[in-house]
Amino acid sequence: MKSTNILFLAVLFFISGYTFAQNEAEPAKREQGHYNTNRFKQLKEEFATPNMFRTASGAPGPHYYQQQADYIMDIELDDENKKISGFETITYSNNSPDVLEYLWVQLDQNVRAKDSKSPLIEPSEVSPANMPSTFVENYMTEAFDGGFNILEVKDAKGNALKYTINRTMMRIDMPHALKPGEKFEFSIKWWYNINDYMVVDGRSGYETFEDGNRGYVIAQFYPRMAVYNDVEGWQNSQFWGRDEFALPFGNFEVNITVPADHILDATGNLQNRKEVFTKDMLKRYEEAQKSFDKPVLIVTEEEAEAASKGFSKAKKTWKFKAENVRDYAFATSRKYMWDMMAVKMGAGSVMAVSLYPPESNPLWGDWSTRAVASTLKTFSRMTFDYPYPKAISVSAENQGMEYPMICWNYGRPEKDGTIRERIKFGMISVIIHEVGHNYFPMIVNSDERQWTWMDEGLNTFTQYVAEQDFGETYPDAIAPHKKYPSRRGPAKNIVDYMAGDQSQLAPIMTKGLNVYSFGANAYGKPATALNILRETVMGRELFDFAFKTYANRWMFKHPTPEDFFRTMEDASAVDLDWYWREWFYTTNYVDIGVKDVKKYHVTSKMTKEVKEIIAERGILETEIPAMVYMVTEDSEDYEESMKTANLKDIQPLRDYIEENIPVEERPSLKNPKYFHEITFEKPGGIPMPILAKYTYSDGTSERITYPAQIWRKNDGYVSKVIASEKEIVRVEVDPEEETADIDTSNNVWPRQKELGAFEEFKNNSRK
C-alpha cells in the first residue's frame, strides 16, 4: 500500500475520532463498568433453559407430556328454585413421569361463597353520591351464597375419599400414590345456587326477562381438574375472580336435564337430536347444514314467544359428547330463538350457531351467525382448520365470555328497536373476540391464570385481523365506514395508554390478577405489539408463517410465553429478543424524532476544521493527499458558489474517477448535488425501526425504513446521510403512525410552529 494511502486513512481516522470526541463530554472521573444493558442483548437471563419437554426452537420436546381428565356428568337445572346439581365421574390419567401423591380440583364457584375472600382484596372508599342500586348493593344486601355444596367424594368402588377445601381449590387424597401411566377414577356429587349475573357479577348465571323467564349461561359450574405440567407442577393458583382458567384436555359425556320447553345448546355433539327436536326443527337443521350463505332459523321468533308464555313442569334431557376439549359449558332458556349456517372448513364443514331471545332481534338475526362464520374463516386462515363441529354465540346481556364451542355476548337493540352504532359494532366485535377464543386458549391452551396476554392479547390481535376481514366480506354492515372501526389493534390506538404515568403501569409479562389497566395491558398493548410486528417489523409473510407455526405446534397443548417467543424467531429467522424485552418485559414507550438536519456541500479546498485537527496531530498540510471536504452552510468555509458546484469540477474526485473507474462505467455514477445529515433522536426507551419520509424540493418524496438495529450502539441518537440530486425540504418520522410513537411533536423537520392556546381552541372547535 502506498504511504499516501496510509496517511489518507490515518487522517480520516483522526478526523472522525476528533469529531466523536467533540460530541462526548469529558468525564469528571473514570466511570465503573456495568453489566450488559444493551437493549439488543439476548433473552438468556429471562428464559428458562431448554429441556426434554420444551426445546430451544419453541416446539414441544421429545418427552413433552400432558395430563388428561375425562368426565361423565349428569346435570339438572332447577329453573323454579334457580339451582343446579350434578354428579360427575372423573377419570384422571397421569401421563407425567412423576408420582402424584394427591390431586387438585378447582372449585371456581366458591368465588361466590358467602365467606369468599375475593371482595376483601379490593380496596373501597366512600363515594359522596351513589346510585340507589349501587347503595343497596354495597350497604344493604346480604352477600349471595353461590359456592359449591360438596355432598360426597368417592372412589370407583364407592368408598369415601378424604378431601380438603382451600377456598377455590380442593385436594383429593388418594388411597395410594398415582404412578406414571396409571389412572384414578373418582366421583363428586354437588349443588349450588345460580347467581343473577345482572346483580351478582360473573361469567356464569342467569338474567331475568320482563315476562319472568330466565336465560341461563352456565359455565365453570362443575368441579374441574387443575393442570399439572412440567413448568409449575400443580397449577393451584386460587381463583380471585379475574384470572381465568388453566385446564387439562379430556373427553366429556354430559346429560343435562332442564324444563321440557327449554331450548339448549352446549359444548359437544348432540346425541339425541331426534328426541329433543320437533319434526320442523329436524327439517330446518338439515337445511342449515347445506346453507353456506345465510343462517337458517331452527326456532323462529314466533315459536320462542309462544314457548315463553308457559312454564313447563315436565323435564327433558339433552345428551352431548365432546372429544378433546378443556372445558364444558351450556346455555338454556325457553325464550331462545335458534339459527345456524354451515361454514366450509377443510374437506368438510362446521356449523355457525346463534341462540338469542326476541329482545335481541333483528340485530342478532342479521349479524351474529354471520360474525361467527366470518371469525372461523379468518382464525382458521391464521392458525389451523377449526377442529370442532360447531361454534355457538349466545345473547346474554352484559356478558362476553368464552368456552369450547360456545360463548356469550352482549348487545341488543333499544326497546324501541333503535340499533345504535356503538352497540352494533360492540356486539359484532365481542362475538368475533369470544368465538376466536376457541383457538386461544381453548385449543392453543395457554395458562391465563399466569399469563393473561397469551389468551387475551393473541386473541385480540387476531380479532383485529378478523374484524377487517368481516368489513370486507360485509361492507353493508359497516357502512358508512370504509373499514371496520376496530377499537384495538392499530398502533395509534394504544398511544394514550403508553403515554401515561409509567409508575402506574405494569409490563405485559405480569400475572393477570396484578395487572394495572387490565383492558389496555392484557388486551390492547400485546395485540398492538403483535400488529406492529406483523405490519412494520417482520412483514405479513414472515409473521403469518411463524404465527401459524406456533399455533400448529401447540394446538391441544400447553405453551408458555417462551414457546411463543422462540417459535416466532425460529420460523422466521428474525431475531426478536429486543422486541420481546422492550414491549413485553418493560413499561417503556416509543418516541423517535428528528433532532437535526444539516446540509453539506462539497469542496476540494481544505477546511479550517480539518486544518485544526491535523495541526493537533502534528501533521503538515503538505503531507495530506488531495481530498474531498464537506462544508455546512453555516461554516466559515462555506462559499455561495458551492451550491452550484458540480462534482465533476472537484479536482480530487475527477482525478480519482479517471484513474480508477473504467470509461464505460462512468455514466452509471450518480451525481448528487445535495448532502443531508439527518440526526434522529430516541427519547423513548423502545428501539424501533425508523420509518423516514423525505420530501424533496420538487414535491416528490421517498420512504426509507431503517431497521431497529440502527440503535444497537447508540440508544439516544443516530445519523444517516442522504446524497441526492434534489434538496430535502421536509423530514418526517412515522408518517402513517405505525409504531405507537407517544410524542409526534418531534417527528417533523423543519419544526412545526407551536400553536397558541387560541389557535388550538379554534382547531379543536373545527374538529
Side-chain angles (χ1 to χ4, degrees):
M1 183 182 290
K2 295 180 180 179
S3 59
T4 53
N5 286 341
I6 295 174
L7 185 58
F8 178 85
L9 294 173
V11 171
L12 285 178
F13 174 77
F14 287 149
I15 292 174
S16 61
Y18 176 84
T19 304
F20 177 77
Q22 291 290 93
N23 292 332
E24 293 292 312
E26 192 69 28
K29 62 178 182 178
R30 186 180 297 278
E31 297 292 337
Q32 294 290 324
H34 58 81
Y35 289 104
N36 184 358
T37 57
N38 189 288
R39 298 186 191 278
F40 290 88
K41 73 174 182 176
Q42 297 300 288
L43 282 167
K44 303 298 185 185
E45 298 168 11
E46 292 85 350
F47 280 6
T49 303
N51 53 46
M52 66 183 72
F53 304 118
R54 296 167 194 271
T55 67
S57 70
H63 294 284
Y64 173 83
Y65 72 87
Q66 61 190 39
Q67 311 291 65
Q68 181 164 333
D70 299 322
Y71 299 81
I72 298 175
M73 294 193 285
D74 291 301
I75 308 299
E76 182 165 353
L77 186 144
D78 182 345
D79 184 28
E80 184 177 352
N81 296 301
K82 297 167 287 188
K83 291 183 178 180
I84 187 170
S85 57
F87 179 83
E88 65 187 83
T89 299
I90 303 174
T91 302
Y92 186 78
S93 301
N94 182 15
N95 299 322
S96 80
D98 307 325
V99 175
L100 303 181
E101 302 168 82
Y102 40 76
L103 306 178
W104 279 104
V105 175
Q106 299 186 57
L107 302 179
D108 301 295
Q109 283 295 331
N110 280 357
V111 76
R112 295 194 191 94
K114 207 164 188 177
D115 62 349
S116 172
K117 303 294 184 184
S118 290
L120 303 181
I121 70 169
E122 299 297 340
S124 58
E125 298 176 350
V126 171
S127 175
N130 297 270
M131 292 292 291
S133 58
T134 304
F135 188 91
V136 170
E137 181 182 349
N138 288 343
Y139 304 119
M140 301 176 66
T141 306
E142 284 288 334
F144 175 73
D145 188 4
F148 275 113
N149 295 276
I150 303 297
L151 302 179
E152 63 180 42
V153 180
K154 295 182 177 181
D155 65 15
K157 296 180 180 179
N159 299 316
L161 290 172
K162 181 182 177 183
Y163 61 92
T164 301
I165 296 177
N166 175 18
R167 294 189 58 250
T168 61
M169 301 297 297
M170 178 168 68
R171 190 184 70 238
I172 306 293
D173 296 329
M174 297 177 289
H176 305 286
L178 191 63
K179 297 178 181 178
E182 291 184 340
K183 298 182 179 183
F184 182 70
E185 182 181 306
F186 64 103
S187 62
I188 306 174
K189 189 176 182 180
W190 51 267
W191 72 272
Y192 67 83
N193 296 310
I194 305 174
N195 61 299
D196 180 343
Y197 64 69
M198 300 292 288
V199 178
V200 181
D201 243 357
R203 300 169 168 93
S204 177
Y206 67 84
E207 65 172 308
T208 304
F209 299 100
E210 289 184 356
D211 60 7
N213 278 288
R214 301 185 189 94
Y216 293 89
V217 288
I218 304 298
Q220 57 262 16
F221 64 92
Y222 60 99
R224 308 180 294 175
M225 290 303 306
V227 166
Y228 182 90
N229 63 24
D230 61 285
V231 178
E232 298 174 274
W234 283 109
Q235 206 310 37
N236 51 20
S237 179
Q238 294 282 349
F239 179 49
W240 293 93
R242 167 179 282 179
D243 296 348
E244 291 174 20
F245 318 106
L247 300 161
F249 287 100
N251 301 319
F252 288 72
E253 293 183 29
V254 184
N255 304 317
I256 308 170
T257 300
V258 295
D261 52 359
H262 270 220
I263 293 298
L264 183 150
D265 211 344
T267 304
N269 275 312
L270 181 60
Q271 301 296 297
N272 61 335
R273 194 177 305 275
K274 291 183 179 179
E275 295 176 20
V276 296
F277 273 33
T278 65
K279 289 183 179 179
D280 285 340
M281 290 169 65
L282 282 170
K283 183 178 179 181
R284 296 165 186 166
Y285 176 71
E286 291 175 0
E287 182 184 345
Q289 288 181 301
K290 302 172 185 175
S291 178
F292 292 91
D293 58 347
K294 64 180 180 179
V296 175
L297 280 165
I298 310 301
V299 176
T300 67
E301 184 166 349
E302 293 74 20
E303 290 167 339
E305 288 177 341
S308 66
K309 294 175 181 177
F311 291 78
S312 176
K313 299 291 185 182
K315 299 178 181 179
K316 183 185 290 185
T317 300
W318 300 64
K319 301 178 179 180
F320 295 87
K321 284 187 178 180
E323 295 182 355
N324 208 17
V325 294
R326 58 163 246 170
D327 201 0
Y328 199 90
F330 68 93
T332 182
S333 176
R334 60 178 60 85
K335 289 274 291 186
Y336 283 152
M337 299 171 61
W338 201 0
D339 72 38
M340 305 180 189
M341 69 182 284
V343 183
K344 289 184 173 156
M345 194 62 57
S349 64
V350 300
M351 300 303 291
V353 183
S354 292
L355 289 170
Y356 48 99
E359 287 84 346
S360 297
N361 237 7
L363 180 58
W364 274 66
D366 288 344
W367 299 117
S368 175
T369 297
R370 288 181 171 91
V372 174
S374 182
T375 303
L376 294 177
K377 292 174 184 176
T378 298
F379 272 74
S380 294
R381 185 186 82 241
M382 295 293 289
T383 58
F384 42 74
D385 286 346
Y386 185 69
Y388 294 136
K390 62 186 177 184
I392 311 161
S393 170
V394 182
S395 173
E397 194 70 336
N398 297 344
Q399 285 287 343
M401 191 57 198
E402 74 283 351
Y403 302 92
M405 305 184 214
I406 190 168
C407 58
W408 355 118
N409 307 297
Y410 68 83
R412 289 176 185 163
E414 301 294 330
K415 289 185 178 181
D416 64 2
T418 303
I419 299 174
R420 287 182 290 159
E421 184 177 88
R422 183 179 64 83
I423 294 297
K424 174 183 171 182
F425 287 117
M427 182 206 78
I428 294 172
S429 287
V430 77
I431 290 173
I432 292 172
H433 182 88
E434 306 304 346
V435 171
H437 271 307
N438 277 287
Y439 298 80
F440 308 103
M442 299 303 154
I443 297 172
V444 182
N445 192 7
S446 54
D447 179 2
E448 187 173 357
R449 191 67 59 87
Q450 296 295 334
W451 309 115
T452 303
W453 72 268
M454 287 196 75
D455 174 344
E456 302 297 355
L458 266 67
N459 190 54
T460 302
F461 157 71
T462 320
Q463 171 193 343
Y464 170 68
V465 179
E467 286 173 346
Q468 299 308 305
D469 285 355
F470 181 88
E472 292 178 9
T473 304
Y474 300 107
D476 292 345
I478 67 168
H481 302 279
K482 293 182 179 179
K483 290 185 176 182
Y484 190 98
S486 296
R487 187 161 67 97
R488 290 173 173 143
K492 63 183 179 181
N493 293 6
I494 201 66
V495 166
D496 287 347
Y497 170 71
M498 295 187 71
D501 181 359
Q502 298 302 305
S503 67
Q504 295 301 311
L505 305 181
I508 292 173
M509 291 289 286
T510 300
K511 182 176 169 63
L513 184 67
N514 306 328
V515 170
Y516 298 80
S517 301
F518 188 76
N521 202 62
Y523 293 69
K525 184 179 176 183
T528 304
L530 294 175
N531 191 47
I532 294 173
L533 200 59
R534 181 179 191 240
E535 300 291 350
T536 303
V537 177
M538 297 175 69
R540 290 189 179 185
E541 183 178 357
L542 286 175
F543 180 95
D544 289 357
F545 180 84
F547 193 74
K548 196 178 188 82
T549 299
Y550 165 73
N552 280 272
R553 281 179 174 180
W554 289 97
M555 63 186 301
F556 298 115
K557 296 182 178 68
H558 304 286
T560 67
E562 293 166 25
D563 299 320
F564 175 70
F565 295 150
R566 284 171 163 156
T567 294
M568 291 299 292
E569 296 188 29
D570 181 70
S572 67
V574 180
D575 182 358
L576 294 168
D577 282 22
W578 62 274
Y579 196 83
W580 308 132
R581 174 181 289 105
E582 298 302 323
W583 276 94
F584 288 78
Y585 288 86
T586 78
T587 59
N588 282 332
Y589 53 84
V590 178
D591 183 10
I592 296 173
V594 186
K595 181 175 176 60
D596 191 22
V597 176
K598 292 181 179 179
K599 298 179 184 178
Y600 285 85
H601 297 279
V602 178
T603 179
S604 58
K605 182 180 178 181
M606 184 180 292
T607 63
K608 182 179 179 181
E609 180 183 11
V610 174
K611 289 179 180 179
E612 291 175 351
I613 294 172
I614 63 174
E616 287 183 8
R617 303 301 194 271
I619 302 172
L620 298 175
E621 291 184 29
T622 55
E623 295 179 304
I624 303 298
M627 298 181 70
V628 180
Y629 299 96
M630 308 291 281
V631 178
T632 61
E633 291 185 358
D634 59 356
S635 167
E636 294 180 25
D637 298 295
Y638 174 71
E639 297 174 2
E640 193 67 26
S641 60
M642 293 178 182
K643 272 189 174 182
T644 56
N646 192 307
L647 292 183
K648 294 179 181 178
D649 297 331
I650 307 299
Q651 187 67 42
L653 270 179
R654 186 167 61 244
D655 293 344
Y656 175 82
I657 291 171
E658 290 178 355
E659 292 176 10
N660 296 277
I661 307 296
V663 174
E664 63 273 15
E665 294 181 15
R666 293 175 192 174
S668 64
L669 292 175
K670 294 188 294 183
N671 188 29
K673 296 179 180 178
Y674 298 92
F675 300 85
H676 301 84
E677 181 186 73
I678 297 94
T679 300
F680 300 97
E681 62 179 347
K682 190 172 74 65
I686 301 180
M688 291 290 285
I690 302 174
L691 311 180
K693 180 181 179 181
Y694 302 118
T695 301
Y696 297 98
S697 54
D698 64 352
T700 61
S701 62
E702 176 186 22
R703 289 191 59 169
I704 299 178
T705 296
Y706 302 105
Q709 284 75 10
I710 194 172
W711 303 104
R712 69 196 186 282
K713 293 183 179 179
N714 189 328
D715 197 45
Y717 308 99
V718 293
S719 296
K720 294 296 293 185
V721 176
I722 301 294
S724 60
E725 295 184 5
K726 298 171 287 186
E727 183 179 11
I728 293 177
V729 295
R730 179 181 171 91
V731 180
E732 191 173 359
V733 169
D734 193 12
E736 304 299 328
E737 300 179 287
E738 298 177 51
T739 65
D741 193 318
I742 69 161
D743 180 9
T744 57
S745 67
N746 61 354
N747 283 28
V748 178
W749 174 89
R751 284 282 189 270
Q752 295 177 324
K753 179 184 176 183
E754 292 188 10
L755 297 178
F758 182 66
E759 285 82 0
E760 281 194 16
F761 172 76
K762 286 197 299 182
N763 285 351
N764 290 333
S765 297
R766 291 192 193 100
K767 292 178 183 177

